Structures are given as C-alpha cells and as structure tokens.
Amino acid sequence: MIRSQGMPLTIAKLAEAGGVGVETIRFYQRRGLIDVPPRPEGSGLSGGVRRYGDGDVRRLRFIRSAQKAGFTLEEIAELLRLDAENDRRRARQLADARILALDQKIAELQAAKTALGRLAQACAHGPDGPCPILDAFTTE
C-alpha cells in the first residue's frame, strides 16, 4: 500500500493509494467529491503536475468505504458536506436509511437462497425429466 507520509502524490499514486484507477479519480473530481488541485507553474520534475496530499487519500478511502457500505455517490457527497458541517443527526439518518435498505436486500437474498436451495434439492432427489432449476428460470 502506498503511503504519502506527507509527500505530495501524483494522480497515479493517489489512485494506487486508494485502490482505484486514475479515471475513477477524475470521475470523482467531475462529481465534486475530490478537489482538483491547482497545476503548479515552473519546469523541472514538478512543473505542471498536480499534487495530492494525505487529505485527498483519506477522502478517497472514505468514498470507497462508503460505496462498499452501499451509499450512492449523491449520498456520499452529502456525507462529506455533513462532516464539514458536523451534522451528526443527518449523518445518522442517512446511515439508518442505508441499514434499512441493507436489511431489505438481505431478506431478498435470503429468500432467493432458500428458493434456490429447494430447487437444488428437487433437482438432486426428484424424478427424471426436466431439471427443476432450469424449469424455474424459464417459467414465470
């Protein structure tokens, strides 16, 4: 894992530190989730190359973690604003809504697992003929 340890990072190193591609960073920038740093003037090794810091790495990791929790990019943008405003009540509301959505998805997945398990049992122990699994997916 890349750690900047206070050293400025190029966009490629920021992407590597966050486990994403450069185009993902640019996409987040277009969505306003990550700031576009100014392009420095001058020549030499750092001339014209934008640099990112530890705060950008933390923000990128926050975005990725929030996505893994199921938050949309719009919700993530709101969470980032709420953090700046220290609005814990609204952040909690968003988290509670996400928990409810996850509970619903878990229930749907559990029902699908149970139904598929029954079909697999019927396929393994049923009479010869069409497979109940294939039959279930071709009929409505």
Side-chain angles (χ1 to χ4, degrees), residues 109-121:
L109 291 171
Q110 189 61 46
K113 177 183 174 186
T114 300
L116 189 55
R118 272 187 280 210
L119 290 171
Q121 284 292 343

Side-chain angles (χ1 to χ4, degrees), residues 7-44:
M7 298 297 295
L9 301 173
T10 63
I11 193 169
K13 291 295 184 185
L14 174 64
E16 188 177 343
V20 300
V22 168
E23 286 307 313
T24 300
I25 302 290
R26 291 188 176 123
F27 175 75
Y28 291 159
Q29 288 173 329
R30 287 191 300 274
R31 298 293 301 261
L33 298 173
I34 295 178
D35 292 332
V36 179
R39 189 180 300 274
E41 295 181 26
S43 59

Side-chain angles (χ1 to χ4, degrees), residues 55-101:
D56 298 304
V57 174
R58 282 189 301 278
R59 192 173 186 99
L60 177 57
R61 289 181 180 156
F62 173 86
I63 293 166
R64 300 298 293 159
S65 295
Q67 283 182 309
K68 288 177 186 173
F71 286 101
T72 66
L73 291 180
E74 291 78 19
E75 291 168 331
I76 293 169
E78 184 175 359
L79 286 170
L80 289 167
R81 281 191 306 274
L82 295 173
D83 182 45
E85 298 166 3
N86 201 20
D87 188 345
R88 294 175 65 161
R89 186 183 64 77
R90 178 64 183 141
R92 202 170 43 257
Q93 288 173 341
L94 286 172
D96 288 343
R98 178 88 309 261
I99 291 167
L100 179 61

